[in-house]
Amino acid sequence: MIEMLPEGYVSVFPGHNNVNLSYKELSAIVSNPIPNRVWYQNLSNIKGIYLILCTKTGKQYVGSATGKDGIWGRWHDYVVEGHAGNYGLKNHLNQYPEAASYFQFSILETFSAGTAKSIITAREHQ
């Protein structure tokens, strides 16, 4: 069987527990939301705690997605801004300007869209 995939398609959504995206892959998914709509649907409908790993330096950043577009919205901001307002990442990118291209994104824990921000941020800091 041959399947024609739309231009801009990146990959099958592997389930929340198996997400491990390079910055390049995440950027392609965010830049092409229609062919990657399953990613959009799955990441925008949940809140969560995620990990960004810089494979160049080994630095790890744990963050939380608590906004209305869930993990999708937060990760979209990383693609658009590079640091999404994260002070630690801003400093890291100032020190290593090319570091974003070495970022790996994964999900550590998911929460339903109705979960209060206070619950998620308390869990993030445990």
Side-chain angles (χ1 to χ4, degrees):
M1 179 165 101
I2 296 174
E3 182 178 3
M4 298 295 292
L5 299 171
E7 185 176 343
Y9 175 83
V10 175
S11 66
V12 171
F13 181 77
H16 298 108
N17 294 334
N18 297 310
V19 170
N20 187 20
L21 293 170
S22 68
Y23 178 81
K24 182 178 178 181
E25 291 168 323
L26 179 60
S27 182
I29 288 168
V30 167
S31 298
N32 298 286
I34 293 174
N36 296 291
R37 68 185 162 275
V38 173
W39 282 91
Y40 172 79
Q41 292 163 348
N42 280 283
L43 296 179
S44 66
N45 289 320
I46 59 157
K47 296 178 180 180
I49 300 170
Y50 56 86
L51 173 72
I52 301 174
L53 168 67
C54 179
T55 60
K56 180 177 180 73
T57 65
K59 292 239 180 195
Q60 298 179 21
Y61 299 88
V62 174
S64 61
T66 59
K68 73 175 182 91
D69 289 326
I71 291 175
W72 176 272
R74 189 71 177 136
W75 286 6
H76 175 275
D77 292 347
Y78 285 112
V79 169
V80 172
E81 301 169 15
H83 52 71
N86 179 304
Y87 180 76
L89 284 180
K90 280 183 187 180
N91 287 339
H92 188 70
L93 289 167
N94 284 337
Q95 188 174 5
Y96 304 98
E98 77 292 350
S101 64
Y102 293 95
F103 289 171
Q104 288 279 331
F105 294 78
S106 57
I107 299 171
L108 300 175
E109 191 169 355
T110 61
F111 297 87
S112 68
T115 304
K117 180 179 179 176
S118 60
I119 292 171
I120 298 169
T121 54
R123 180 75 173 137
E124 173 190 5
H125 293 104
Q126 286 183 337

